[in-house]
Every structure is written in C-alpha cells, then in structure tokens.
C-alpha cells in the first residue's frame, strides 16, 4: 500500500514539470524583436541616444537578452560600428543606450538598426537572433543655415593627448577649402563632395583659452568665407599626491594633498577640478572648498580609526585616493613658545621653552639645534610641559642661534615647526699669541725692522681686538725697553733700532685682556752671508719647497714670500713649519700665472734668532714673454752688421727667459752659417739662430753680401714659448767702397767743421787783420796839419779841395778788362811790359820840386802799393811837357775820380790796374809858393790812409803806342792849389 501511495505523487510531479517546460519553450519560440526604436542626437557630446522596447515578452517575466546594434554612415551599406549590449529586460520596459561618435554628427547622415537574442540560463540551447529592426536614419544637416561653409564640432572639450576628428561641410563643391590648426595647414580625407574630415592625433595643450582651427573657402584668389571653431584641450586630471590627515588638538583633522596640474579652461568651459572627502566608516561626505586642503571635525563619539577617500573630478574624468589611519598616530604638535636664555657667560648658557598642552600624561620629545661659527650641534630631550637645557662648551664673544621643535614621544608622526632665538656669549681674553714675522734691513749704524702679524681668528680672538702692544727690549741693556701700542686693525709697524740685540714681544688685546706674547729676537750682528738664489718650478697647486736642515737645535722654520715685481709690504706672506720638517707646499689662490714669486727660508734657533738658509724663486705657471726687445743695428758694413738689445729687462717677464731666437730673411733664401731654416706661424720661411744664454744680448750677423736687403726679428723665449709676433726690421748692407769713403770724408768734415768753429770764434781777429774797418775821416789825425786860409772852419777834406799833383798808375802785365756800370762797356788793355805812371805836377811854371804830399792807399785795391810803404815823385823826363796835348785836363781827372768814388759796383777782371795818387796839398809851411826849390828833392814819407777809390787807367791816359817808352807823364795844371 505504501508503494502504491508514493507512485501517484511522483507521477503528478513529473507531469507538472513537463507541462511547465512545455510552456517555457513555447514562450522562447515567440519572436522577441526590438520595436519602437528611436534615435536622438546630443551635439554637445557628439553622441546618438537609442531607446526601444521588446515585443512579446511574457508578463512579469525577466529575461537576460543581448542586443546587437549596427551603425552606418552616409549609406546603410557603410557599416562603421557593430556592438552588443547585454541587459536584463522586463515586461514593457523601455531600454536606453548611447553611442559617442568620433566624427561630428553634423558631418554625415547616420543609420541605426538593432536585433536581439535571449541569453538566459532558463532556456536551453540553441538560441536564435531576432530579425533586424528597420534602419533608423539620423541627420542634423537639415538644421544648417544659409552659410556656404561649416566647421564641426563646436566648442568640443577633450583631454590633452586625445585623438580628435573634425570636419567641414561646403555647400558649393566648386569652392577650394583649406583648413589650418594654429596657422599651420592640415590635410584631411574627403567623405563626399561636400564633406572632408581631419583626424588630429594626440592634440597638445596650447593655452587654457583653447586651440584655434579655421577653414577658408575660395575660388581662385578670391576668398568666399572663413569659418572656425575653438577646440578646448584640457590638461589631464592627475591623481592627488601626498594625501595625509593629522591633528594638532584632537578636535580637528587637517587633511592636505598635492592637487597636481590645474585643469581649468577659459571662457568657463571647464572650472578647476573639485575635491570631495568621503569617510567610509561614518558614511559622511564633504565637498572641499580648497584645492589642496580640507578640515574634518572630530566629535567626541568618533572612532579613533578613519578611512578617508579623496575624490578629484572634472568634466572629463574622476580620480580618487584612499588612506586609513589611527588618530593618535597622526598628532602634529604646535610649535613651542617662550624661548629664552638664562645665565649666559663666555662659555655656557641655559635655554628654556614651553609647549602647548595636549592630553594628560602626554610626553613630548623635543629637539634642539645650536648654530654658530659655521657649526651645528643637535640635542634631544624629553619633557612634560616646560623644557630646559644646559648649553656648554660655547665659544666666547660668539653669536649663536638656538631653536627647538617637539613631537609626540609615544607615536612619532612629525616634528612641529621650529621656534628659536639668537644670543651672544661674553668676551674672554685672546687665547693664542699672534703669528709674528719680520723683515730686517741693515743700514749704516742701525737696523730697520718691519714687523708683521696676522690677525687672530675669531675662534682665538675671543672678542674684538682693540690694539696690539709691541714691547721692544734691549738685551744688551736690559733696563731699557719701549712700548708701542698699535691700534687695530693695523697689522705691521716699523722700528729703527741700533746695533744692539733686541727682543720684541707682540700681544693682541681686547676689552677683557691680552693674549699670550709672541717673541722674536733681532741679533746685534745678524748673519748676512750671501745665499745663492735657486730657481724652482711651480704648479697649479702651488710651490713645493724643500731645504737642508739647519745644523744645531732649531725650534722651527719660517718660509716667507712675496711678488717679485711688487712692493714687499703689499703682498708679504709667511708660513711656520715645525722643526722636524724640511719641506712644505705653499698653496694659495693668490698665486697667478706669469707672476714671479721670491721665497726665503729661515731657521729659528732656540734663542728665537732667525738665520737665512735658502732663497728660491719661480713661477706658478710660466707664460710666453709679453714683449720683444728693442733691437739696435750697430757696425753696419758691407758684409756684416751687429744686433744688440742691451736694454731689454728679463726680470719683469712672465717666465724665465731661456734665450733668444733671431730670425733672418734675405732675397737669396739661403741660411748663413750658424742659422737653420725655420717656418713662421704665417707659413713664411726664414733662417733662425738660437741664443741659449739670456744674458747674451748681441749678435754679429756676418757673411753677408754688399748692397743686399735683409730683414731680422729678435724674440725671447721661455719654457712656455716665444714672445709675440712682430714685424721684421729691414736693413741694407752698403757697397764695399762706401766704408772707405766714410773713413776719408768723416775726418775731412770734422776738420772743416773745426776750422769753421775756429774762424767763428776768431772772426773779430781775422777781420781786424785781413780787412780792417775803413777809418772815419772825422777822426783822422792829418786834419790837424791842414790850414785853410779861405775857410778856416773847413775840417773835412773833399775831393774838390785837393788838386792832385801826381797820379801813379800801376798796371799788371796782363790785359786788363775794365767795365763801367753805367755804360756796361768793356775796355781791353794791351799787354804792358812796364808799369805806367801818371804824375800830376803843380801848375806854377816856376815849380821846381814837389812839396809835402799825402798818400792815400787802399790795400784792398793795390797790395803792391801797400808794400811800398811810401809814395814819391818819379823823375820826369825832359820831354814830358811836349806830350801835354795827349793828356786829359785835371778837371776831367777830378770828375772821373769823384764818379768812381761814388760808384763802387764796377767790375775789374783778371788784369788788375791799381791807381795810387799823390796829392800835394799845400805849399811849404814857411815861405811862398814861388820860393819852391827849383830842383826836385826826394819827397818825405807820407801818411798812409785807406784808399777811397780806384780810377781806371783809361780815364786818365790814352792807350799807349808801341813806340811809346814813357814811364811817366806830366800834366801841367793852370790852376792853383789850396793852401
């Protein structure tokens, strides 16, 4: 019976299940085709929005379905996108789906259709797709205006680096359209005769006011219109960085973060990104009003654990970051306050401060930093409420800066801000003796000592140095000492000491006291041995010096140095070296290339007396010579010349002069003995001679050719190279005979110059001897002998007052040519074998002899006459009166004499004719003229005067004939003589 009872129940359940399955299968077989498909556009987002329903869906039944969507562009056959959309569909439900187009919707017509299939586990396989819905056409071009050109999309917003498609629509296919991105032309793809699209890849951010894109339509060279758009490119929204939250008072949480780049755009297209703080445990949310921080209030019933999410959002995307923390682990204390210093002295101080109270039994960890003299010291201390710390081992007279910060000692999160204050320790006496050195100059009878000292460092000065005390003690006379107080900041002084031994002590003094003394001893007989100077080579790091140790006990060595070319006092330095050291390196930034430095090494004895050990000199870096010598050419001959540059100084050069290079050029281009060929920097060839001795400043260049052209150039050289390039000096050798002529002519010229100088110096003597001055008739002594009867007041003798008694004409044998200035007429005398004489006798018939006469002679005209020393009458032959008819009258003779006296410009050539005239001035002093002696006697000696004129012979005498043998001619004068 039990088996029979179970069987009807099982059969009933099986039958029920079979009926249910048959019902579901019947429902699946029904056509579930999407219907009522509607498509709308969103130009802002460039998207298509689809909505539809499913027909024949069972009542109150939900099915999982898959919808396949096809989208075509321009025409239905041009399918550009196919995709599936899965969702659960309820009875009578309107479904929605959106698709964003890369190409602006305004650029082309779009077509959409859809089909579906049931994808539910309640239905067995196989499942079949429904039929496609009809194509739904979408076009927005019908809403365009009347313009001939359009550019899309309008005001599109994209992120930096996105790919963007733009297009233009041209009403007239005849127009030529060019498009530009920020002024640069771009090229696209033509979709149809009216539409062309442009794909822009990874668009950059140019400016927050957008990127300009425009297109220009034209026909030929005529513009038909310009249209453009602004593409807004936003910076990519970044995820917030360094997001953290902390509290200073357990009342407020202060959260901060780094927002990154601001994505705001101009024209209100996109504001800055917004930030929202969300706490997941409490479910509370807060919109933050600042870009990088936000405060969250802590309530008394709040948990100590927080889970915050910070959300950053703009129009294009959303970013978020999350933190989880315990409140007691995020305590950020406020900075300490009331920082003070107590009991400050030269080396110690007490620092105190206060902190803000947090909770009961809260322990603070504080850190102290002490800054002074370029050093930093750090100390840590734990406190409860007030803090105090003892600062020791401080430096006197030093300004310090001390600061303190605190944190939670139980759960360290971060230090608070610093709180600090400055303080200065008190002064103390200087702790170290000044470093002192000296320069001793020996002078007759005394020493001139120049003391130098280096200022104490701040570490050892322990305050401001006010003055230096220099105590000079005479060791030979201990009772005598002198104190010199030198105000700071002086670092040297000069002392003049006699030839005794002296001890000099130098101390530095501040407001508290004096430093230890620095002692130096000046010996009465300083060792003045000559030390040979050694040359050394420096490097960029300085000079490496070494020396032989001084015999005997030494307490140290001193190396001093200065610039070789400058004043010692201006650049004097020294360095102390220990007694066990015999080498050191002098390194300083003051060493300059090309500057010579002199070093002296002294040894200090136990009595602190310095002894000069060595001298060294060198350059930290040698340079090529800065100038060339001025070369003189001496002893120029036809075969050689000498070059010399004696005045060239080698001491002031930027390197040790090692020698000289002498360059020589000649037209023959052949090098002489001792010269070698060389090529100059300009490529020209010449001959070079090297002089290795820098003190040899002359060179004889021989084996030259006469009358040849040479060029030379002399330059010094150091280890760094030669001197600067300069122009060659030209020289030409003379011919072989020129030297001989010079040897002959120079003495002759010297003699002539000597004679000229002697003549100039003896000019007055020569003038008086060779051509004395013409006497002044007014001063003649002969006037005292003349007695005038008619005119007793007449004192000057004129030509008309004297009737000459005789004229003596002396003619040389040569022919005489006489030329008168007035007539320019030349007369040639025949050769005379004998001198001719012309006598003018008295006119009285009873004249029996000559009377007293006066002879005027001019040695310039007649030297022979001057030699005679006297004048007299020559005996007249008896026949002399018979020739009176050939003679010129006395008056004519007088006129000729006067004329020739006035005219001194006549010319009398080679055959000279001299005229001596003798004038009987008066009758004898006693007696009458009739009482003259009948027989002529020898005339007495006549007074001699300079002759005033010369009368040519032709004026007085006619030319003599061949038969004439008269040696004298007598003229009778019918007139009377003046007495």
């Amino acid at each position: 019976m039990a088996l029979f009872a179970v069987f009807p129940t099982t059969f009933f359940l099986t039958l029920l299940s079979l009926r249910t399955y048959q019902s579901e299968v019947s429902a699946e077989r029904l056509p579930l085709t999407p219907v009522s498909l509607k498509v709308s556009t969103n130009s802002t987002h460039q998207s298509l929005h689809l909505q539809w329903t499913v027909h024949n869906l069972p009542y109150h039944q939900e099915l999982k379905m898959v919808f396949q969507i096809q989208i075509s562009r321009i025409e239905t056959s041009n399918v550009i996108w196919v995709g599936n959309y899965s969702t659960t569909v309820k009875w009578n439900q309107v479904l929605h789906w959106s698709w964003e187009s890369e190409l602006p919707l305004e650029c082309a017509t779009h077509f959409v259709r859809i089909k579906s299939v049931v994808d539910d586990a309640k239905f067995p396989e196989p499942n079949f797709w429904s039929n496609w819905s009809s194509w739904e056409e979408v076009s927005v071009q019908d809403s365009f205006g009347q313009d001939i050109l359009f550019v899309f999309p309008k005001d599109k917003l994209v992120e930096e680096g996105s790919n963007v498609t733009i297009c233009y629509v041209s009403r007239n296919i005849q127009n030529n359209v060019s498009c530009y991105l920020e002024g640069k032309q771009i090229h696209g793809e033509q979709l149809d005769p009216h539409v062309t699209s442009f794909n822009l890849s990874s668009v950059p951010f140019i400016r927050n006011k957008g990127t300009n894109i425009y297109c220009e339509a034209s026909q030929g060279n005529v513009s038909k219109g310009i249209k453009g758009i602004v593409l807004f490119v936003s910076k990519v929204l970044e995820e917030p960085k360094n997001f953290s939250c902390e509290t200073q008072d357990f009342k407020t949480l202060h959260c901060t973060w780094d927002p990154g780049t601001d994505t705001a755009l101009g024209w209100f297209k996109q504001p800055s990104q917004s930030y929202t703080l969300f706490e997941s445990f409490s479910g509370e949310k807060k919109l933050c009003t600042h870009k990088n921080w936000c405060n969250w209030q802590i309530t008394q019933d709040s948990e100590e654990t927080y889970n915050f999410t910070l959300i950053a959002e703009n129009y294009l995307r959303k970013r978020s970051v999350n933190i989880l923390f315990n409140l007691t682990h995020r305590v950020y204390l406020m900075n300490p306050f009331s920082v003070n210093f107590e009991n400050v002295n030269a080396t110690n101080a007490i620092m105190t401060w206060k902190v803000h109270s947090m909770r009961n039994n809260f322990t603070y960890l504080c850190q102290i930093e002490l800054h002074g003299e370029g050093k930093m010291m750090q100390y840590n201390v734990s406190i409860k409420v007030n803090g105090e710390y003892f600062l020791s081992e401080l430096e006197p007279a030093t300004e310090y800066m001390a600061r303190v910060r605190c944190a939670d000692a139980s759960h360290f999160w971060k230090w608070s801000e610093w709180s600090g204050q400055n303080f200065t320790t008190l002064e103390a006496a200087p702790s170290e003796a000044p470093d002192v050195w000296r320069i001793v100059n020996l002078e007759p009878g005394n020493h001139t000592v120049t003391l130098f000292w280096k200022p104490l460092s701040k570490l050892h000065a322990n305050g401001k140095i006010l003055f230096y005390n220099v105590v000079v003690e005479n060791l030979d006379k201990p009772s005598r000492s002198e104190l010199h107080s030198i105000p700071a900041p002086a670092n040297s002084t000069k002392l003049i000491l006699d030839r005794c031994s002296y001890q000099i002590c130098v101390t530095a003094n501040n407001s508290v006291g004096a430093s230890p003394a620095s002692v130096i001893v000046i010996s009465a007989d300083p060792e003045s041995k000559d030390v040979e100077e050694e040359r050394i080579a420096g490097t960029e790091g300085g000079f490496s010096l070494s020396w032989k140790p001084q015999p005997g006990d030494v307490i140290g060595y001193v190396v001093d140095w200065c610039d070789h070319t400058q004043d010692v006092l201006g650049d004097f330095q020294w360095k102390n070296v220990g007694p066990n050291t015999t080498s050191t390196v002098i390194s300083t930034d003051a060493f300059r290339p090309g500057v010579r430095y002199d070093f002296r090494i002294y040894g200090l004895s136990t009595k602190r007396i310095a002894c000069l050990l060595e001298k060294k000199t060198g350059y930290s870096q040698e340079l090529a010579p800065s100038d060339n010598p001025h070369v003189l050419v001496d002893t120029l001959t036809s075969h050689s010349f000498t070059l010399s540059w004696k005045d060239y100084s080698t001491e002031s050069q930027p390197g040790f002069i090692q020698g000289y290079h002498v360059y020589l050029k000649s037209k023959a281009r052949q090098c002489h003995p001792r010269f070698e060929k060389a090529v100059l920097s300009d490529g020209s060839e010449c001959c070079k001679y090297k002089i290795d001795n820098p003190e040899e400043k002359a060179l004889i260049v021989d084996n030259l050719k006469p009358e040849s052209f040479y060029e030379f150039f002399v330059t010094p050289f150091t280890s760094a190279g030669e001197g600067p390039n300069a122009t060659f000096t030209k020289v030409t050798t003379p011919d072989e005979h020129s030297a001989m002529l010079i040897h002959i002519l120079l003495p002759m010229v010297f003699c002539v110059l000597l004679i000229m100088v002697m003549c100039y110096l003896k000019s007055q003597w020569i003038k008086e001897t060779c051509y004395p001055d013409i006497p002044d008739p007014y001063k003649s002594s002969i006037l005292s002998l003349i007695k005038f009867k008619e005119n007793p007041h007449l004192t000057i003798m004129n030509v008309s007052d004297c009737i000459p008694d005789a004229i003596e004409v002396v003619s040389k044998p040569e022919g005489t040519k006489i030329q008168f200035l007035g007539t320019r007429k030349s007369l040639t005398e025949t050769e005379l074998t004998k001198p001719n004489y012309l006598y003018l006798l008295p006119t009285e018939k009873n004249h029996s002899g000559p009377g007293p006469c006066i002879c005027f002679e001019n040695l310039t005209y007649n030297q022979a006459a001057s030699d005679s020393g006297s004048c007299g009458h020559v005996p007249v032959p008896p026949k002399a009166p018979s020739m009176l008819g050939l003679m010129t009258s006395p008056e004519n003779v007088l006129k000729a004499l006067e004329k020739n006296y006035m005219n001194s410009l006549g010319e009398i050539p080679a055959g000279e004719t001299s005229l001596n005239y003798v004038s009987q001035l008066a009758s004898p002093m006693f007696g009458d003229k009739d009482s003259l002696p009948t027989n002529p006697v020898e005339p007495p000696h006549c007074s001699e005067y300079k002759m005033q004129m010369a009368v040519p012979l032709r004026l007085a005498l006619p030319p003599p004939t061949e038969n004439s043998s008269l040696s004298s001619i007598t003229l009778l004068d019918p007139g009377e003589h003046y007495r």
Side-chain angles (χ1 to χ4, degrees), residues 440-687:
V440 180
N441 294 324
L442 298 180
E443 297 179 358
N446 55 43
H447 297 153
T448 299
V449 180
T450 304
L451 286 179
F452 298 89
W453 56 84
K454 296 179 181 179
L456 292 177
S457 65
K458 192 174 183 180
L459 177 64
H460 299 114
N462 295 336
K464 182 180 179 181
I465 300 299
L466 302 178
F467 58 91
Y468 296 89
N469 281 338
V470 178
V471 178
V472 181
E473 181 181 358
N474 192 326
L475 298 179
D476 298 335
K477 301 175 182 179
S479 61
R480 297 181 57 183
S481 62
E482 296 179 0
L483 173 63
H484 303 270
S485 183
I486 313 299
N491 62 351
S492 65
T493 188
K494 183 176 290 187
L495 304 174
I496 298 178
L497 309 176
D498 57 19
R499 288 298 182 92
C500 295
S501 297
Y502 285 88
Q503 176 179 282
I504 302 174
C505 300
V506 181
T507 58
N509 298 261
N510 61 10
S511 61
V512 177
S515 70
S518 181
V519 180
I520 194 167
V521 175
I522 306 298
S523 175
D525 296 318
E527 187 176 357
S528 59
K529 65 178 181 180
D530 292 333
V531 178
E532 184 178 355
E533 188 176 64
E534 177 188 355
R535 290 185 176 182
I536 58 175
T539 62
E540 294 182 359
F543 291 89
S544 179
L545 304 178
S546 62
W547 58 90
K548 295 180 181 179
Q550 182 181 4
D553 294 334
V554 295
I555 61 174
Y557 298 94
V558 176
V559 180
D560 65 23
W561 68 92
C562 63
D563 188 338
H564 178 77
T565 59
Q566 292 185 357
D567 183 13
V568 173
L569 302 181
D571 190 26
F572 184 72
Q573 298 291 332
W574 69 94
K575 180 180 180 180
N576 295 302
V577 183
N580 299 323
T581 303
T582 57
S583 64
T584 186
V585 175
I586 307 298
S587 178
T588 175
D589 295 335
F591 288 145
R592 293 166 293 157
V595 177
R596 182 175 173 180
Y597 296 93
D598 295 336
F599 298 87
R600 293 177 297 184
I601 302 171
Y602 294 86
L604 289 178
S605 66
T606 55
K607 296 181 179 180
R608 304 198 66 84
I609 298 176
C611 177
L612 179 62
L613 302 180
E614 295 184 17
K615 290 182 179 180
K616 300 178 186 292
T617 183
Y619 297 84
S620 62
Q621 180 183 351
E622 289 193 53
L623 303 178
S626 58
D627 58 353
N628 294 320
H630 177 67
V631 182
L632 300 177
V633 180
D634 300 328
T635 318
L636 178 62
T637 67
S638 58
H639 296 281
S640 67
F641 57 82
T642 302
L643 303 179
S644 64
W645 51 97
K646 303 295 184 181
D647 297 334
Y648 184 69
S649 175
T650 60
E651 296 295 320
S652 60
Q653 296 300 320
F656 291 118
I657 300 298
Q658 299 180 352
Y660 305 92
H661 287 158
V662 181
Y663 293 95
L664 185 66
K665 288 183 180 181
S666 64
K667 292 184 178 179
R669 295 187 177 180
Q670 293 182 354
C671 293
H672 299 76
R674 302 183 299 163
F675 284 79
E676 61 181 9
K677 286 190 176 181
V679 179
L680 299 177
S681 58
D682 59 357
S684 60
E685 294 184 356
C686 65
C687 300

Side-chain angles (χ1 to χ4, degrees), residues 239-246 254-259 275-279 288 292-294 296 306-311 320-325 330 413:
E239 181 181 280
K241 302 179 182 64
N242 303 324
F243 177 44
S244 67
C245 297
E246 60 195 12
H254 180 69
C255 299
T256 59
W257 60 89
D258 179 8
Y275 293 91
T276 302
L277 196 59
F278 173 72
E279 206 285 308
C288 300
N292 58 349
W293 65 272
C294 190
W296 187 276
Y306 289 87
N307 186 5
F308 281 110
T309 299
L310 179 64
I311 303 170
S320 64
V321 63
N322 178 266
I323 58 170
L324 176 67
F325 61 92
R330 296 296 179 96
W413 164 240

Side-chain angles (χ1 to χ4, degrees), residues 925-970:
M925 297 298 296
F926 301 97
D928 194 18
K929 65 179 180 179
D930 298 333
S931 63
L932 291 173
T934 306
N935 298 326
V937 293
E938 183 71 15
H941 192 270
C942 301
S943 300
E944 297 179 7
Y945 291 90
K946 296 296 179 179
M947 186 175 180
Q948 301 299 315
M949 69 204 78
V951 181
L953 180 62
R954 292 299 181 181
L955 296 176
L957 300 174
T961 61
E962 296 177 359
N963 299 326
S964 177
S965 60
L966 287 175
S967 60
S968 62
I969 299 175
T970 302

Side-chain angles (χ1 to χ4, degrees), residues 204 411 900:
H411 305 283
N900 197 40

Side-chain angles (χ1 to χ4, degrees), residues 712-850:
F712 68 86
F713 166 52
V714 179
T715 180
F717 65 90
T718 65
S719 61
E722 292 183 342
N725 292 330
T727 58
F728 279 75
T729 303
K730 301 176 182 179
V731 62
T732 303
T733 56
D735 58 11
E736 293 181 330
H737 304 290
S738 61
M740 185 181 298
L741 292 176
I742 290 174
H743 287 301
I744 296 174
L745 291 177
L746 283 179
M748 293 179 64
V749 171
F750 178 76
C751 292
V752 171
L753 291 176
L754 183 61
I755 292 172
M756 293 177 64
V757 171
M758 294 298 296
C759 290
Y760 176 76
L761 297 177
K762 297 294 184 178
S763 59
Q764 187 65 26
W765 177 82
I766 295 173
K767 178 179 179 182
E768 292 176 356
T769 303
C770 298
Y771 49 95
D773 294 337
I774 298 173
D776 188 354
Y778 289 96
K779 299 178 182 180
S780 176
S781 62
I782 196 62
L783 296 176
S784 63
L785 303 177
I786 300 175
K787 303 294 184 180
F788 296 98
K789 294 181 178 181
E790 291 84 357
N791 189 3
H793 302 287
L794 185 64
T795 59
I796 303 302
M797 180 180 67
N798 296 324
V799 177
S800 61
D801 298 332
C802 181
I803 304 299
D805 296 320
I807 296 179
E808 178 184 1
V809 179
V810 181
S811 177
K812 290 183 180 181
E814 295 89 72
T816 302
K817 182 178 180 179
I818 301 174
Q819 179 178 350
F820 293 94
L821 182 63
T823 60
R824 312 298 294 180
K825 180 177 178 181
S826 299
L827 300 176
T828 304
E829 298 294 335
T830 59
E831 183 177 352
L832 298 178
T833 59
K834 297 180 179 180
N836 296 323
Y837 297 93
L838 174 62
Y839 287 89
L840 299 181
L841 301 179
T843 57
E844 289 81 357
K845 295 180 182 181
N846 297 328
H847 185 271
S848 59

